[in-house]
Amino acid sequence: MFRRPVLQVFQKFVRHESEAVSSLVLERSLNRVQLLGRVGQDPVMRQVEGKNPVTIFSLATNEMWKSGESEAYQMGDVSQKTTWHRISVFRPGLRDVAYQYVKKGSRIYVEGKVDYGEYMDKNNVRRQATTIIADNIIFLSDQTKEKA
């Protein structure tokens, strides 16, 4: 009773090796990043000849953890690591808003994707660069500055 429908469904999703090689199969994948941190420098806008401009800035995120075995947090028991991310904004509307309103020290939330690339430095040495391509930026209020 169930054998025929199950077999048809199974055959629909499973391909023989010869079919997989000859036909193009598109798979879904995901490259998504969410960062919440503070801007490390005012943004700069760069433009390479023949290409659209890009707004670039750095974003710091902090990771904190308890070191030692004591239950209560004492001075010196908390360790912190700061990671710096290079943020690139290509989307025309977002690129201009980021250039105008993102400021050093601002607290922002960035959504985007990771991009790994290469470039030649001024000494003609090939370098690798990891960049976050921003799709969305949310500006967060900075309560420490508002109280001052």
Side-chain angles (χ1 to χ4, degrees):
M1 179 171 172
F2 288 107
R3 184 175 184 174
R4 186 163 187 96
V6 171
L7 187 59
Q8 288 174 344
V9 169
F10 184 72
Q11 287 175 343
K12 207 176 200 181
F13 290 105
V14 176
R15 298 176 184 263
H16 297 287
E17 283 186 36
S18 61
E19 289 177 1
V21 172
S22 64
S23 65
L24 177 64
V25 177
L26 298 177
E27 295 180 337
R28 289 188 180 215
S29 61
L30 182 66
N31 179 354
R32 210 70 205 130
V33 176
Q34 298 174 321
L35 298 172
L36 173 64
R38 292 211 179 261
V39 177
Q41 69 192 39
D42 286 340
V44 294
M45 191 174 290
R46 295 194 179 143
Q47 185 166 5
V48 179
E49 286 183 35
K51 294 188 178 182
N52 292 329
V54 58
T55 296
I56 300 169
F57 60 92
S58 62
L59 185 72
T61 56
N62 296 314
E63 180 181 355
M64 298 166 98
W65 65 93
K66 182 177 133 183
S67 57
E69 296 188 21
S70 66
E71 290 295 320
Y73 282 96
Q74 305 277 329
M75 291 302 272
D77 285 344
V78 178
S79 298
Q80 178 176 315
K81 177 186 174 190
T82 301
T83 303
W84 289 95
H85 310 273
R86 177 185 171 102
I87 311 295
S88 296
V89 188
F90 291 96
R91 285 184 40 205
L94 187 59
R95 172 187 62 221
D96 300 333
V97 167
Y99 182 70
Q100 187 172 0
Y101 294 107
V102 169
K103 300 294 177 213
K104 180 179 179 176
S106 299
R107 190 164 156 82
I108 64 172
Y109 170 81
V110 175
E111 289 180 328
K113 64 181 179 179
V114 179
D115 182 60
Y116 301 99
E118 292 183 346
Y119 68 96
M120 297 293 271
D121 69 7
K122 55 187 166 191
N123 297 324
N124 269 346
V125 176
R126 186 178 302 243
R127 303 275 184 191
Q128 293 184 348
T130 303
T131 303
I132 305 302
I133 309 296
D135 295 330
N136 190 21
I137 298 175
I138 298 174
F139 296 87
L140 303 171
S141 64
D142 190 354
Q143 294 176 351
T144 58
K145 290 182 180 179
E146 288 176 1
K147 290 179 182 178

